[in-house]
Amino acid sequence: MAFCVHCGQMQGDGIRFCRFCGGQQPGDQLIARLRIEAEAVRYQVQQMQAQQIQYQQQQQQQQQQRGW
Ligand SMILES: [Zn+2]
């Protein structure tokens, strides 16, 4: 199931033009590319979160060492 990128109406799979607004839909290649980009972004976010957790843990360790 897919949704029109222009008007958001529900569309059948594999259609090229929206039957509601006539807007052209992204092709399979574009969708595949967007999916890869989304994966890359998700990976970056995970890396950032991991770094943030690491940083927080380091801060906590430093505070413990100072006797807080
Ligand atoms: Zn549409």
Side-chain angles (χ1 to χ4, degrees):
M1 205 181 291
F3 295 91
C4 175
V5 295
H6 301 283
C7 68
Q9 291 286 345
M10 203 190 294
Q11 304 294 322
D13 280 327
I15 58 113
R16 301 195 59 175
F17 295 94
C18 176
R19 65 194 158 103
F20 293 95
C21 72
Q24 193 173 4
Q25 304 304 301
D28 288 344
Q29 281 185 344
L30 179 62
I31 288 169
R33 205 184 72 195
L34 289 174
R35 219 166 260 166
I36 289 165
E37 281 177 10
E39 278 295 308
V41 168
R42 207 166 63 181
Y43 178 74
Q44 280 178 352
V45 169
Q46 278 175 353
Q47 292 288 97
M48 266 161 55
Q49 284 173 343
Q51 279 177 2
Q52 214 167 31
I53 289 165
Q54 221 169 36
Y55 177 76
Q56 282 171 354
Q57 282 172 348
Q58 278 173 3
Q59 294 284 307
Q60 281 173 358
Q61 278 172 3
Q62 280 172 7
Q63 283 181 352
Q64 280 165 4
Q65 279 164 8
R66 282 189 213 122
W68 283 38

